[in-house]
Amino acid sequence: MATAFKLVVEYDGTAYSGWQIQNDVPTIQGEIEKVLQSITGQSIRVSGSGRTDAGVHALGQVAGFTCEITLSAQKLHKGLNSLLPPDIVIRSLETISPAFHPRYDAISKIYRYHILNSTWPDAIGRQYAWHLRCPLDMDAMRVAIGHCLGRHDFKSFEGAGSPRSSTVRRILSASITRQASGRIVFEIEGDGFLRFMVRNIVGTLVEVGHARITPDDFLRILHARDRNQAGPTAPSHGLFLVQVLYPAE
Amino acid sequence: MATAFKLVVEYDGTAYSGWQIQNDVPTIQGEIEKVLQSITGQSIRVSGSGRTDAGVHALGQVAGFTCEITLSAQKLHKGLNSLLPPDIVIRSLETISPAFHPRYDAISKIYRYHILNSTWPDAIGRQYAWHLRCPLDMDAMRVAIGHCLGRHDFKSFEGAGSPRSSTVRRILSASITRQASGRIVFEIEGDGFLRFMVRNIVGTLVEVGHARITPDDFLRILHARDRNQAGPTAPSHGLFLVQVLYPAE
């Protein structure tokens, strides 16, 4: 009899062409499927809560798969972590109803974006933050990010070449905090995200932070529904998929 | 006229065979000398406060060099950081008395060792901590590390193959703290360190933390002046040279 499993996965995206399996390039999904095949002898499809792009990290990506297996969840968990490369770690693995779908059942996702705003970059941890030398205006960025709250058409912040039928999403919370280390952490929770949406929002917020545009301009860009008006896409290595939330959690 | 400079250097040691220049392998000193040569056209010897071993990191290694140069310290600093690889960052560069010697003038050094003590390793930041699954007894390790305080012959914790004429060193402070993330940070300040000394102390403290030996055994090992009695050498990737202190700082 087939058993369904839910996984929470942490990964360092530096070495990967993103979550989704592709031919001839390393991907997180591809690595997990390869290890599952070597443990079970079966070709198993792992489905994620959504893709993450090349170079993006995750602390809590959620995925699911179904297979015929006699191993306990605990043993399967241990086996997976001992065979996966060290930049992919299964944080939890549990059996779940076969009806569970990591993408369709998700009610929201939390992303964080890390900027190191300091004269010099860091050597330690440089893989995990975008370094910007010029000081960012926290107050102006906070006003601008506030405009994202609620239900909006985020077409201005959608990556080119991957249009969705609907570009309307609801942002449930959005904050920017500055740590003593000089790190600025953007945290955004939404019921869904378009491709490159967080990185395009952060790239445009940085334009606000550098006073190249105003928070009012940010609002105008949001309303314009036109990618050409928004700022550049922030680099992938500052972005983390932190958590995927499901009902009754 | 020659000018003397003092550098504070941060580096991620992952990709390097340690601080000290060697033929045919990448080293921190080698990278800095290469970049200095390309900026000044001169062959410049950079001297450090001491070696760090292969894979060991630094937040504040101190080095010095002397050269004929017309560039300001500020411009030289900028030039160095723009040409060095991203895993080596010069945190500060200033002119200093030609009498300054980074090794002989140092009065103490602070090292930190990071252990991640949790069921599963981390993917993010795995390069910067030793992962140990079995819980460590903090109280027992704290008693044991206390025995290191003061002036002792640390021959039991000296790496093989690199004997010093004197193996007596003074430990000024030693602490162990546990962070909410499950990270345990060992911090040791001393007036000098033998090769592998911090890693051998930490490796032996872990034996105490796992109750394979007692804090009294640790004291007995310290007094034995015999490397064969101490525990294994902790891996290099958990170790950071944090700061080198000089008089009047």
Side-chain angles (χ1 to χ4, degrees), chain B residues 94-203:
Chain B
E94 56 188 12
T95 57
I96 197 159
S97 153
F100 173 72
H101 192 290
R103 182 166 158 213
Y104 301 128
D105 291 351
I107 51 175
S108 70
K109 287 182 183 177
I110 300 173
Y111 277 97
R112 275 190 211 132
Y113 196 96
H114 289 222
I115 287 179
L116 175 68
N117 195 24
S118 60
T119 308
W120 301 112
D122 284 350
I124 305 295
R126 69 197 177 285
Q127 311 88 329
Y128 308 124
W130 182 22
H131 175 250
L132 287 173
R133 191 183 174 116
C134 293
L136 289 162
D137 181 335
M138 294 290 290
D139 292 336
M141 291 195 298
R142 283 187 179 125
V143 172
I145 202 175
H147 294 317
C148 292
L149 288 170
R151 199 161 174 274
H152 300 282
D153 186 336
F154 285 97
K155 195 169 176 56
S156 291
F157 298 109
E158 181 180 40
S162 49
R164 298 287 171 92
S165 54
S166 167
T167 47
V168 174
R169 297 291 184 274
R170 183 185 298 277
I171 298 302
L172 304 164
S173 71
S175 65
I176 313 178
T177 50
R178 185 192 282 270
Q179 301 174 338
S181 59
R183 260 169 212 249
I184 298 175
V185 180
F186 300 73
E187 185 172 295
I188 303 184
E189 178 177 3
D191 66 358
F193 290 88
L194 305 168
R195 189 157 192 224
F196 291 162
M197 181 169 145
V198 178
R199 291 162 60 191
N200 287 337
I201 289 174
V202 170

Side-chain angles (χ1 to χ4, degrees), chain A residues 10-13 57-59 74 77-79 81-82 86-92 118-128 133 240, chain B residues 10-13 57-59 74 77-79 81-82 86-92 118-128 133 240:
Chain A
E10 175 185 347
Y11 47 85
D12 179 331
H57 315 293
L59 294 170
Q74 201 187 0
H77 189 182
K78 210 164 173 172
N81 276 340
S82 68
D87 48 8
I88 304 177
V89 175
I90 309 298
R91 298 237 64 105
S92 72
S118 59
T119 308
W120 301 112
D122 283 350
I124 304 296
R126 68 196 177 286
Q127 311 89 330
Y128 308 124
R133 190 182 174 118
F240 291 78
Chain B
E10 175 184 347
Y11 47 85
D12 180 331
H57 314 294
L59 293 170
Q74 202 186 1
H77 189 182
K78 211 164 174 173
N81 275 340
S82 68
D87 47 10
I88 304 176
V89 175
I90 309 297
R91 299 236 64 104
S92 72
S118 60
T119 308
W120 301 112
D122 284 350
I124 305 295
R126 69 197 177 285
Q127 311 88 329
Y128 308 124
R133 191 183 174 116
F240 292 76

Side-chain angles (χ1 to χ4, degrees), chain B residues 9 16 57 64-65 70-71 73-74 106-108 113 127 161 217 223:
Chain B
V9 191
Y16 297 95
H57 314 294
F65 65 91
T70 52
L71 281 179
Q74 202 186 1
I107 51 175
S108 70
Y113 196 96
Q127 311 88 329
D217 292 331
H223 288 159

Side-chain angles (χ1 to χ4, degrees), chain A residues 9 55 63 78 101 119-120 141 154 182 185 228:
Chain A
V9 191
K78 210 164 173 172
H101 192 289
T119 308
W120 301 112
M141 292 196 298
F154 285 95
V185 180
N228 295 318

